[in-house]
Amino acid sequence: MTTIAEFSVQYSQFLDSKSTLKITEEQLASHGINADTLLIFYKHMLLSRTFDTKAIALQRTGRLGTYPACIGQEAISTAIGLTMRSEDVFIPYYRDVSTLLIRGTKMEELLLYWGGDERGMDYSVNREDFPLNVPIASQCLHSIGVAYAFKLRQQPRVAVVVCGDGATSEGDFYEALNAAGVWQLPIVFVVINNQWAISVPRDKQSRCETLAQKAIAGGFSGEQVDGNDCIATQIQLEKAIASARAGNGPHLIEAITYRLSDHTTADDANRYRPIQELEQAQAREPIQRLANFLLERKYASESQLKEVQTQCTQAVEESVQRYLDMPPQPTSAMFEYMYQEMPEQLQQQLSQLSSHRE
Amino acid sequence: MPEFTLIEAVNAAMDYEMSVDDNVIVLGEDVGANGGVFRATDNLQQKYGELRVIDTPLAESLISGMSIGLAAQGLKPIAEIQFMGFIYAAFDQFLCHASRMRNRTRGRLSCPMVLRAPYGGGIHAPEHHSESTEAIFAHVPGIRVVIPSSPARAYGLLLAAIRDPDPVLFLEPKRIYRAQSEQVENNGIALPLDVCFTLRQGHNLTLISWGAMLTETLAAAEKLSEEGIEAEVIDLASIKPIDKSTILDSVEKTGRCVIVCEAAKSGSVAAEISAIIAEEGLTSLLAPILRVSGHDTVMPLFKLEQQYMPSVEQVITAAKKVMEY
């Protein structure tokens, strides 16, 4: 017997959970990372965290529907937003606040969506990005079509698609990896492995040592990064996106992180998640990790970081106010966009409903 | 003017639209060099290249799911599912995403895709190759379901489906793929969607059918005519949305209606048509609405398929029964 193929999966961590930098400042600078960019990164993460905290509060007080927070995942989500170009297309799952905000989605748009209003997914800025995707892994196949269109039209654009660890068990995930490999499409798959698919832990999801290695079956490379490391996520994503843009085909990044919140506001993780595990994960979370680094290196002062928090809180409060002030949508909103032109039956049903409501 | 069979008309419509619109692309299993297992895409890859006529990996969810991404980028994918029996893996993407992309983004993104599939029995095919499950799709808001019944309508309706800005399921009655040829002007003129076609005028009763069953329905109408019963024959063509006014106008004239469909009876499109007539045309009726249909059984293996599918005699019997009132 002879070995005919061998594979390996790399893991990157450049800022560890103790906020120790594992590469040199020169290396950081060579990637365009410095005190200013790290402070911007911090601000995006904190905005996401502040938004999530507020969204949960809105849900608890009856002003928002069920909400899935991204708490704990802010680093990878921010890195995606900062490394993509505006002309690229983002295909999210449903825990992508930071990426979407960086790409131009407004907080009030996300609130409208989770508040049960049809208008939320009509992003006013990032018009070609996909709406949030509630069924699991189906968005991976949309990214195939998007990236195929780029390839067909010879556009130097990249599709970035995100899914969770649970999604890697779905057929659509495997079909997408396979097709991306066959056609060498400009796609970066990001698996945000937050260790829990509602109540099912990572080790019950797959026997694979890594989720990254699933890319190998698709005929391309996969790697792991510390998803709570704002430096590793940025550097590795930038490489993957640049490579895809240059025509070198797809790549998969498994970002190791932890879901610090419940699955959604309708979930109680205490039913299944050991409290010690949560405590350990808190010590590895991305925002404090970066804050400690910024302070240690004197890249920022305590008062600067406090000011960032104040700005984030203010921005969130203003968007919540705009959300709450939105005039209600008319009943006809559910009919208007079913087809480009409303078929006769729908017109009839709408007028019946309208006359009943009057 | 060229003579086309139904399958040739399907090919000609795709060829025409690909020649005039660079955004139209074809994808599916074996659609390339092989030209599709029924030859619907014959020669298209040779003409338009491998980038626009895509042999996909064997994965139906991929085929419909990637079509959504292609369509969101402004392309007009025509995706072939090899047989309707394999469409259910693609149904999830069609139902959960294609049908609602326009609605859930307020028109920011839309999904102008066509999912084509041969359907129906009568060709002695293996298991999973003969079902007629159009009603499952007709229940889904946000899509169109279209079934042609002749080469000319296949040509005109497929062009319309490709040009339609919303997702269309285009089901091709494979039993009549090569049953008849007719002259079809290959001029790129589409037929309207959302309307029925009245194939035969009559004043005694209305026969409504679609797809391959129009063969039996029209044959029954001719035999009934020999006995002095004049049936109006309507080709439903657009299964969703249904053109109610053509149906209700006809039933108002005839007072009697028999619906002929190949699919299982319960919850069928025939049931929907019956409900439309009951809700909005009841006072026109002189007799109960009858359905001549397949049975609530699994489509049998081919030795029994003729017993499953409605026959000319069954249509005549039902017509005579409603004429007794």
Side-chain angles (χ1 to χ4, degrees):
Chain A
M1 221 162 40
T2 48
T3 302
I4 56 162
E6 279 186 325
F7 306 98
S8 64
V9 176
Q10 307 292 319
Y11 172 80
S12 300
Q13 184 192 56
F14 301 142
L15 184 69
D16 73 12
S17 59
K18 305 265 185 284
S19 302
T20 307
L21 186 66
K22 297 163 81 176
I23 54 176
T24 65
E25 293 207 14
E26 289 71 32
Q27 282 173 307
L28 270 192
S30 73
H31 292 287
I33 300 172
N34 54 45
D36 292 342
T37 65
L38 287 172
L39 196 61
I40 289 167
F41 202 105
Y42 179 78
K43 187 172 173 176
H44 286 302
M45 288 201 293
L46 198 61
L47 183 62
S48 175
R49 179 75 55 95
T50 309
F51 177 82
D52 272 344
T53 308
K54 183 68 184 183
I56 292 167
L58 288 170
Q59 190 280 330
R60 298 289 187 236
T61 50
R63 291 174 292 173
L64 200 71
T66 300
Y67 182 75
C70 324
I71 295 174
Q73 306 178 191
E74 293 90 348
I76 181 63
S77 190
T78 300
I80 297 167
L82 292 177
T83 48
M84 286 179 73
R85 290 188 189 162
S86 59
E87 69 267 26
D88 295 337
V89 169
F90 182 54
I91 299 108
Y93 75 139
Y94 53 83
R95 259 187 246 281
D96 305 276
V97 168
S98 194
T99 313
L100 285 167
L101 296 187
I102 292 167
R103 291 187 60 72
T105 305
K106 295 186 163 39
M107 284 184 274
E108 53 267 36
E109 291 168 353
L110 294 176
L111 291 171
L112 278 170
Y113 177 72
W114 294 113
D117 189 305
E118 302 290 343
R119 293 169 291 190
M121 288 296 100
D122 187 11
Y123 306 150
S124 54
V125 176
N126 43 331
R127 302 289 290 167
E128 291 184 56
D129 284 353
F130 269 57
L132 300 186
N133 196 87
V134 174
I136 305 305
S138 48
Q139 74 276 17
C140 298
L141 291 175
H142 306 160
S143 75
I144 300 297
V146 170
Y148 195 95
F150 296 161
K151 188 182 169 93
L152 181 71
R153 292 170 168 162
Q154 299 180 301
Q155 296 170 329
R157 303 167 75 188
V158 177
V160 178
V161 61
V162 176
C163 67
D165 40 304
T168 67
S169 302
E170 289 273 12
D172 279 359
F173 177 76
Y174 288 100
E175 289 191 19
L177 295 184
N178 184 59
V182 168
W183 292 315
Q184 286 294 289
L185 296 177
I187 304 181
V188 177
F189 294 90
V190 181
V191 176
I192 298 189
N193 174 3
N194 69 13
Q195 312 303 327
W196 292 92
I198 304 188
S199 67
V200 178
R202 162 64 183 85
D203 63 357
K204 286 187 181 167
Q205 205 63 244
S206 171
R207 179 76 177 172
C208 290
E209 300 94 319
T210 71
L211 300 177
Q213 74 201 56
K214 296 191 178 195
I216 295 164
F220 57 95
S221 53
E223 66 174 305
Q224 276 191 344
V225 299
D226 179 345
N228 292 351
D229 170 353
C230 65
I231 294 168
T233 51
Q234 264 190 102
I235 290 175
Q236 297 310 108
L237 265 167
E238 201 148 87
K239 277 187 203 165
I241 290 174
S243 171
R245 197 184 311 283
N248 299 321
H251 182 69
L252 186 148
I253 291 178
E254 177 191 2
I256 308 294
T257 181
Y258 195 86
R259 192 192 80 207
L260 294 174
S261 54
D262 295 329
H263 165 64
T264 66
T265 50
D267 175 45
D268 175 10
N270 293 322
R271 290 172 60 86
Y272 51 81
R273 181 182 58 192
I275 189 73
Q276 308 89 304
E277 186 184 295
L278 179 64
E279 285 163 2
Q280 287 161 9
Q282 291 279 11
R284 298 190 303 268
E285 73 90 25
I287 299 182
Q288 195 56 49
R289 187 189 301 194
L290 178 56
N292 292 343
F293 180 70
L294 291 171
L295 293 171
E296 277 169 23
R297 298 265 166 153
K298 304 216 180 325
Y299 284 174
S301 64
E302 286 275 8
S303 66
Q304 262 178 304
L305 297 190
K306 264 193 188 151
E307 174 57 25
V308 172
Q309 178 64 74
T310 307
Q311 287 167 3
C312 290
T313 305
Q314 192 187 338
V316 168
E317 289 301 331
E318 283 168 8
S319 72
V320 168
Q321 203 50 53
R322 285 194 290 274
Y323 158 62
L324 295 173
D325 289 345
M326 279 286 280
Q329 53 189 348
T331 306
S332 62
M334 72 173 115
F335 290 83
E336 284 161 358
Y337 292 96
M338 287 309 305
Y339 299 87
Q340 182 165 294
E341 277 182 48
M342 202 183 296
E344 199 185 325
Q345 278 94 325
L346 274 186
Q347 289 177 24
Q348 198 180 354
Q349 290 173 20
L350 174 57
S351 66
Q352 279 168 357
L353 179 62
S354 306
S355 63
H356 191 257
R357 292 280 157 130
E358 272 163 14
Chain B
M1 205 184 297
E3 289 241 334
F4 287 144
T5 60
L6 197 152
I7 188 79
E8 288 164 350
V10 165
N11 179 269
M14 289 191 281
D15 191 356
Y16 184 92
E17 206 58 8
M18 290 192 84
S19 72
V20 298
D21 185 349
D22 286 344
N23 286 322
V24 177
I25 64 174
V26 164
L27 65 152
E29 294 157 8
D30 306 297
V31 301
N34 195 37
V37 294
F38 287 101
R39 308 288 175 260
T41 56
D42 198 22
N43 251 335
L44 295 182
Q45 193 177 62
Q46 285 93 320
K47 274 179 97 165
Y48 301 103
E50 289 189 19
L51 269 176
R52 281 183 74 196
V53 181
I54 311 161
D55 271 323
T56 66
L58 210 165
E60 287 80 11
S61 189
L62 165 72
I63 292 168
S64 72
M66 77 177 279
S67 295
I68 293 161
L70 291 164
Q73 277 296 310
L75 292 163
K76 292 179 184 168
I78 309 170
E80 174 174 306
I81 299 294
Q82 205 158 70
F83 286 91
M84 198 179 193
F86 310 137
I87 208 169
Y88 310 105
F91 184 51
D92 173 47
Q93 287 282 350
F94 207 57
L95 167 72
C96 290
H97 297 292
S99 72
R100 55 205 291 162
M101 191 56 83
R102 177 186 297 284
N103 182 61
R104 64 192 304 265
T105 62
R106 307 281 86 185
R108 181 171 64 80
L109 300 177
S110 60
C111 199
M113 65 179 278
V114 179
L115 198 59
R116 295 177 41 247
Y119 87 104
I123 64 159
H124 289 223
E127 197 177 3
H128 294 289
H129 286 63
S130 299
E131 285 75 9
S132 300
T133 53
E134 65 273 16
I136 298 174
F137 291 84
H139 191 66
V140 179
I143 66 168
R144 287 188 159 80
V145 181
V146 177
I147 299 181
S149 64
S150 74
R153 283 188 292 283
Y155 180 81
L157 290 172
L158 183 53
L159 281 176
I162 299 166
R163 293 171 192 169
D164 191 79
D166 292 301
V168 179
L169 176 69
F170 193 83
L171 293 174
E172 296 161 9
K174 62 179 174 290
R175 176 161 64 98
I176 57 167
Y177 259 158
R178 295 181 173 83
Q180 60 160 136
S181 286
E182 67 179 336
Q183 290 197 333
V184 182
E185 204 170 339
N186 191 359
N187 55 5
I189 295 178
L191 286 167
L193 299 179
D194 304 358
V195 296
C196 301
F197 297 91
T198 303
L199 304 185
R200 189 183 192 283
Q201 302 284 337
H203 58 274
N204 294 125
L205 81 156
T206 302
L207 296 174
I208 302 173
S209 191
W210 53 95
M213 285 318 299
L214 273 159
T215 309
E216 283 69 21
T217 306
L218 284 165
E222 290 309 313
K223 288 200 176 172
L224 288 164
S225 180
E226 288 165 13
E227 300 182 35
I229 300 168
E230 295 303 330
E232 186 140 292
V233 176
I234 292 176
D235 175 4
L236 188 65
S238 278
I239 309 300
K240 183 189 188 73
I242 289 176
D243 169 11
K244 294 201 289 190
S245 33
T246 301
I247 293 170
L248 292 168
D249 287 352
S250 177
V251 172
E252 189 177 3
K253 180 169 71 174
T254 64
R256 298 174 175 90
C257 184
V258 173
I259 306 159
V260 185
C261 87
E262 196 176 310
K265 191 168 191 175
S266 302
S268 62
V269 174
E272 178 62 23
I273 297 168
S274 305
I276 289 169
I277 299 170
E279 276 188 337
E280 298 183 44
L282 187 68
T283 53
S284 307
L285 287 174
L286 302 168
I289 304 161
L290 290 185
R291 289 178 283 167
V292 181
S293 70
H295 313 292
D296 291 335
T297 63
V298 169
M299 179 78 192
L301 296 179
F302 61 82
K303 282 195 172 160
L304 285 177
E305 73 178 337
Q306 288 308 323
Q307 280 77 3
Y308 178 89
M309 293 162 59
S311 64
V312 176
E313 290 66 35
Q314 284 171 301
V315 179
I316 291 171
T317 303
K320 287 186 175 171
K321 197 167 171 189
V322 298
M323 289 307 297
E324 285 170 12
Y325 288 84

